[in-house]
Amino acid sequence: MKLFNQEDTMFPLAYAEILQRVRAIDPVKYASTRNYINGAVTYLSPYISRGIISTKLILSEVLKKGYKPAQIEKFIQELAWRDYWQQVWIVKGDAINQDLRRKQEPVATNGLSLAINNAKTGIDVIDKAINEFYKTGYLHNHVRMYIASMACNIAQNRWKHPAQWMYYHLLDGDWASNALSWQWVAGSFSSKKYIANQENINNYTRSTQRGTYIDLSYEVLADLEMPSHWKETIAPNFTTSL
């Protein structure tokens, strides 16, 4: 598990620098580019999850720049999602550790696929992101969804252990957001599963890989037989050395 370090340039620790990052937000550009791996995301999530700044403070600072709420609706929605996950946790309590709305199906294992743990999924941009994740504690939100989709809907992992694996390594770890987002991908907290094919991944990560086992239409991918390299799993060991 990687902890905050004063030498980290991706996530500075000085409060003045954090506020400067808040005030530099371009909420319009954020809305149009946030799903792309090189989009104008805020990199504020670790500070929100640790209570250093609040979603209310962020919105207040953005509105001070003269934006009308209607202009920045998507940005406000994303702030609201963070608060929503917390409210669900408050209301549901430990129930968020189980399937909330419907049973996840099919499930082949309660473990974590070794392909994800070892960054050997075969999807180059995802493997690169996982290796960087181990070093930085950061994953773009869209990449988190891709990994969750692979774990739950291709490898048929029960969502909880992979979700714990991601939470353990995240600098912005927020169990409410993490657990409920994984359930949304797995279809146990949503009306359907989230599945991404190679075309989708290439589009939002600016990659060009083709001919992979997920380079298929969504109709075909939905009935994909689990690739052999996804079948081996591990039981993650979540310990922190201080």
Side-chain angles (χ1 to χ4, degrees):
M1 180 180 181
K2 185 178 186 298
L3 303 178
F4 275 114
N5 188 299
Q6 185 62 55
E7 283 70 45
D8 285 341
T9 56
M10 191 173 187
F11 296 107
L13 300 186
Y15 190 64
E17 293 182 67
I18 297 168
L19 288 182
Q20 184 178 358
R21 181 168 286 188
V22 173
R23 291 163 184 160
I25 293 171
D26 183 336
V28 175
K29 190 174 181 181
Y30 169 89
S32 62
T33 67
R34 60 178 289 275
N35 284 332
Y36 293 90
I37 200 168
N38 60 347
V41 295
T42 66
Y43 296 107
L44 291 174
S45 52
Y47 311 115
I48 299 171
S49 67
R50 297 296 176 268
I52 298 169
I53 56 176
S54 67
T55 53
K56 183 178 180 180
L57 179 145
I58 294 170
L59 179 58
S60 175
E61 289 295 326
V62 169
L63 292 176
K64 282 179 184 178
K65 299 169 75 172
Y67 293 104
K68 303 297 183 184
Q71 290 178 278
I72 57 173
E73 182 177 1
K74 186 59 182 175
F75 181 77
I76 295 174
Q77 286 175 348
E78 292 306 311
L79 292 178
W81 271 114
R82 290 186 173 275
D83 291 343
Y84 170 73
W85 297 132
Q86 290 295 318
Q87 292 302 314
V88 172
W89 196 7
I90 289 170
V91 172
K92 299 292 187 180
D94 289 343
I96 71 166
N97 296 325
Q98 307 298 328
D99 296 345
L100 271 182
R101 291 185 179 173
R102 55 185 57 83
K103 187 177 180 181
Q104 179 191 347
E105 292 181 328
V107 172
T109 174
N110 284 323
L112 168 70
S113 284
L114 202 61
I116 289 177
N117 187 75
N118 294 351
K120 298 292 184 182
T121 68
I123 308 304
D124 295 343
V125 70
I126 301 301
D127 293 338
K128 179 181 178 182
I130 293 172
N131 282 321
E132 291 178 351
F133 176 42
Y134 287 144
K135 297 175 184 176
T136 67
Y138 173 78
L139 278 173
H140 185 279
N141 187 61
H142 224 150
V143 175
R144 300 182 198 200
M145 292 168 60
Y146 292 148
I147 293 172
S149 179
M150 290 178 179
C152 297
N153 303 326
I154 294 179
Q156 299 174 17
N157 295 164
R158 175 94 165 84
W159 66 265
K160 189 175 180 182
H161 269 148
Q164 288 176 316
W165 163 82
M166 185 173 284
Y167 175 73
Y168 174 75
H169 291 286
L170 284 170
L171 280 179
D172 64 3
D174 172 341
W175 183 240
S177 177
N178 201 63
L180 294 171
S181 293
W182 274 78
Q183 289 207 51
W184 181 84
V185 169
S188 61
F189 190 49
S190 59
S191 58
K192 63 179 181 178
K193 299 179 181 185
Y194 172 79
I195 299 174
N197 63 9
Q198 188 68 55
E199 181 181 11
N200 183 295
I201 292 173
N202 285 350
N203 181 43
Y204 289 106
T205 64
R206 311 297 193 187
S207 56
T208 59
Q209 189 177 12
R210 299 303 302 269
T212 67
Y213 57 92
I214 59 170
D215 196 7
L216 304 166
S217 69
Y218 284 112
E219 293 74 18
V220 175
L221 192 58
D223 296 320
L224 180 71
E225 184 177 345
M226 188 194 307
S228 59
H229 73 284
W230 282 101
K231 294 181 179 180
E232 189 173 358
T233 62
I234 62 169
N237 179 24
F238 304 116
T239 58
T240 302
S241 297
L242 299 178

